[in-house]
Amino acid sequence: MALVKDSILLQLVRGTLGKQLTIYERNGQIIMAKKRGPSMKKPTKKQLEARYKMTIAAAYAKAILQDPELKAYYKLLAGPGQNAYNLAIKDAYKSPEIQNIRLEEGTVVVTAKDEFRVVEVDVRVHDAAGAMLERGKAVLGRNGVDWYYKAGYLPSGGKVVVVAVDLPGNETPRELKLE
């Protein structure tokens, strides 16, 4: 790899020359490098998982382009050099994050974030034996981050299981033990 300083010829050239040399620009610098070919190594398990995840994300992004409302939503969030397809892939690739679960006077308060949007939070209350006592959807609070679920009964020794779901359908579960 070579960094090109002041070359009038290479200021305008980008791409591959003769299947041997690649010229590209990164962070404002022109770089010349040997053309890379496909790897001869067997992919690792993590690489295969990442490829599968990217395949799912790309399929989601293609489906999003068919829905005018969702396409407009992603397009609205796009910055310079981005488009709705790129952002849909980014959204599908990353699951929402549950930052906190707390109890406030019989109400389960869940702080859930996603780079784009959390669309629902499902709350399940289980007793000490693991049997589900109740289940319902939490309601989004005014701050756009906290979700509220009024529980009928919170048994000691039981647990509250919370699942946050984002726009592409990625789910993130988390549980809180009741004492």
Side-chain angles (χ1 to χ4, degrees):
M1 177 177 84
L3 298 176
V4 179
K5 293 293 180 188
D6 291 323
S7 172
I8 296 172
L9 174 66
L10 295 177
Q11 291 293 327
L12 304 173
V13 177
R14 300 290 180 274
T16 303
L17 301 173
K19 297 184 182 180
Q20 293 185 7
L21 187 67
T22 300
I23 303 170
Y24 59 97
E25 188 172 345
R26 180 173 292 153
N27 297 329
Q29 289 192 317
I30 301 171
I31 300 172
M32 287 179 47
K34 179 182 171 190
K35 182 178 182 326
R36 293 183 58 185
S39 176
M40 296 301 153
K41 295 180 185 176
K42 185 178 175 183
T44 65
K45 187 176 180 181
K46 282 183 113 177
Q47 286 173 326
L48 291 173
E49 288 172 3
R51 289 177 188 175
Y52 176 74
K53 199 171 180 182
M54 184 56 83
T55 301
I56 299 299
Y60 170 74
K62 284 180 185 174
I64 283 303
L65 295 179
Q66 306 305 315
D67 185 339
E69 288 180 21
L70 287 175
K71 183 178 179 181
Y73 170 73
Y74 283 114
K75 198 171 191 175
L76 181 70
L77 299 173
Q82 296 177 321
N83 57 37
Y85 181 81
N86 300 136
L87 291 183
I89 284 181
K90 187 177 182 180
D91 191 17
Y93 203 78
K94 206 169 182 188
S95 296
E97 177 185 353
I98 297 175
Q99 295 180 324
N100 191 17
I101 305 171
R102 62 188 186 279
L103 302 174
E104 293 179 1
E105 301 170 10
T107 301
V108 179
V109 182
V110 180
T111 304
K113 283 188 173 182
D114 188 67
E115 190 169 342
F116 296 93
R117 181 170 41 172
V118 175
V119 292
E120 76 178 35
V121 173
D122 186 47
V123 179
R124 294 176 225 148
V125 179
H126 296 264
D127 64 9
M132 187 174 8
L133 301 175
E134 64 180 277
R135 178 182 186 168
K137 305 282 184 213
V139 177
L140 182 62
R142 287 186 177 197
N143 66 2
V145 180
D146 289 335
W147 294 75
Y148 297 88
Y149 176 77
K150 182 70 175 164
Y153 175 61
L154 295 170
S156 63
K159 64 182 176 181
V160 174
V161 178
V162 175
V163 179
V165 182
D166 66 1
L167 202 53
N170 295 323
E171 296 181 350
T172 301
R174 192 159 162 206
E175 65 181 55
L176 173 70
K177 301 272 186 204
L178 301 171
E179 302 195 11

